[in-house]
Amino acid sequence: MIAHGKDIKIFSGNANKPLAEAICRRLGTSLGNAEVGCFSDGESYTSIYETVRGSDVFVVQSTCYPVNDHLMELLIMIDALKRASAGRITAVMPYFGYARQDRKAKPRDPISAKLVANLIMRAGADRVLTMDLHASQIQGFFDIPVDNLLGNPIFVDYYTEKFGVDHEDIVVVSPDVGSVSRARAFAQKLGMGLAIVDKRRPKANSCEVMNIIGEVSGKRVILFDDMVDTGGSLCNAAQALVELGGATEVYACASHGVLSGPAVERIEKSVIKEAMFLDTVPHRDGNPQSEKIKYLSVAGMFAEAIDRIYQEVSVSKLFI
């Protein structure tokens, strides 16, 4: 028990229960006793089967497919916990859905990320813990504390072990101009060079490679992004790096493997040798399997962040 006298309790919706259980194992606790499901007409419901009065409660729920169902589960769980007099409620969202709708791209567009932020606050969340927001300014959409963890340290450890200290023939590649700052930070941590795939996106979920900025000829490359949805952008970039740039091998990594539609088939048929994702989004039931696709766990990082929030100490160490 810590100074403010609260105990810690962790609950999970149905989005990514294995991750929630892994976080609990890291913290040496068990998942809270709750039931989350749907009535016959599709309405979500939740029942909390243990007291949470005065507790420091963390609700682990990625808003991944089906996005609206999982978002609603999160909202009603927060509401139920708030009405049960929880001391503090933190929405732990390893993957924050609707993050791509962060601005008006054309007239009469909604800003759905702001709407989701309003819903989470209105439901009663006191804090949000997430990872690699597609647009970091979404933190400003909330009037409560938001901790946006970075997934690249996990990839840095993985590729350092995989490739060793000899990085002369390896280049980190940003798949588009918008991801340059993210890719640059990753490249600096690995001590590798940086290249950029210049592309245009004529419509949603499609892209066209225009040019490659930087030298990738005869080199192995690591395509680095925050998320992969349908896989078209990633696979087109990989193809261009080989055919236009002359790269010898292409590896890919992203924090969130949304992998909707034909994504898995595209990756399987692409020139990508290995696609590495974090387990913020679980493998979707019904999706085909691919030996190219692998996952790294974020349970350790989220467990440490949760423990630091609970202990009321700084989480800034996790952003280095």
Side-chain angles (χ1 to χ4, degrees), residues 13-86:
N14 294 316
N16 199 346
K17 192 162 285 186
L19 175 58
E21 292 170 343
I23 291 171
C24 287
R25 286 195 294 271
R26 294 284 189 131
L27 291 170
T29 187
S30 57
L31 202 58
N33 187 9
E35 180 182 359
V36 184
C38 288
F39 293 113
S40 58
D41 64 351
E43 291 182 7
S44 297
Y45 72 84
T46 186
S47 296
I48 309 296
Y49 294 128
E50 61 184 85
T51 181
V52 295
R53 185 176 296 273
S55 298
D56 202 356
V57 179
F58 297 81
V59 183
V60 182
Q61 179 82 332
S62 285
T63 47
C64 52
Y65 177 89
V67 180
N68 296 333
D69 290 350
H70 288 152
L71 175 59
M72 198 64 201
E73 286 182 7
L74 174 64
L75 296 175
I76 65 172
M77 288 187 77
I78 293 171
D79 182 72
L81 293 164
K82 192 74 172 180
R83 294 175 186 276
S85 302

Side-chain angles (χ1 to χ4, degrees), residues 111-303:
I111 304 180
S112 303
K114 171 59 175 170
L115 174 60
V116 170
N118 288 343
L119 290 170
I120 292 169
M121 290 188 294
R122 188 67 176 174
D126 299 296
R127 190 181 193 104
V128 171
L129 175 62
T130 186
M131 174 172 277
D132 284 329
L133 285 169
H134 185 68
S136 57
Q137 64 266 25
I138 291 174
Q139 294 173 84
F141 293 177
F142 290 87
D143 295 323
I144 56 177
V146 177
D147 295 306
N148 182 28
L149 301 179
L150 304 177
N152 67 43
I154 300 174
F155 290 122
V156 167
D157 291 343
Y158 173 77
Y159 286 114
T160 298
E161 182 177 349
K162 184 179 183 70
F163 296 124
V165 295
D166 184 13
H167 299 152
E168 292 296 324
D169 68 331
I170 307 176
V171 177
V172 173
V173 178
S174 172
D176 54 46
V177 175
S179 298
V180 170
S181 60
R182 184 182 293 110
R184 182 185 292 116
F186 181 56
Q188 288 174 345
K189 289 182 179 181
L190 283 171
M192 298 177 181
L194 178 68
I196 304 165
V197 174
D198 181 26
K199 69 182 183 183
R200 65 184 180 93
R201 191 182 296 274
K203 60 181 181 178
N205 295 128
S206 68
C207 73
E208 178 182 325
V209 173
M210 305 295 288
N211 194 19
I212 296 173
I213 304 169
E215 182 57 50
V216 298
S217 179
K219 297 181 182 291
R220 293 178 287 175
V221 300
I222 303 173
L223 271 167
F224 180 76
D225 208 350
D226 66 314
M227 66 180 296
V228 175
D229 188 357
T230 61
S233 177
L234 184 77
C235 294
N236 287 345
Q239 191 74 21
L241 287 166
V242 172
E243 294 183 353
L244 301 179
T248 57
E249 291 181 349
V250 180
Y251 297 84
C253 62
S255 297
H256 312 300
V258 178
L259 304 182
S260 61
V264 175
E265 292 92 338
R266 283 175 172 171
I267 292 172
E268 180 64 28
K269 295 176 182 177
S270 73
V271 298
I272 296 171
K273 189 170 183 179
E274 177 187 80
M276 187 66 65
F277 301 108
L278 303 179
D279 61 351
T280 57
V281 178
H283 178 81
R284 190 186 302 181
D285 291 340
N287 265 4
Q289 300 284 344
S290 172
E291 293 185 358
K292 290 184 178 182
I293 297 175
K294 300 177 182 178
Y295 290 89
L296 296 171
S297 177
V298 297
M301 182 173 287
F302 274 96

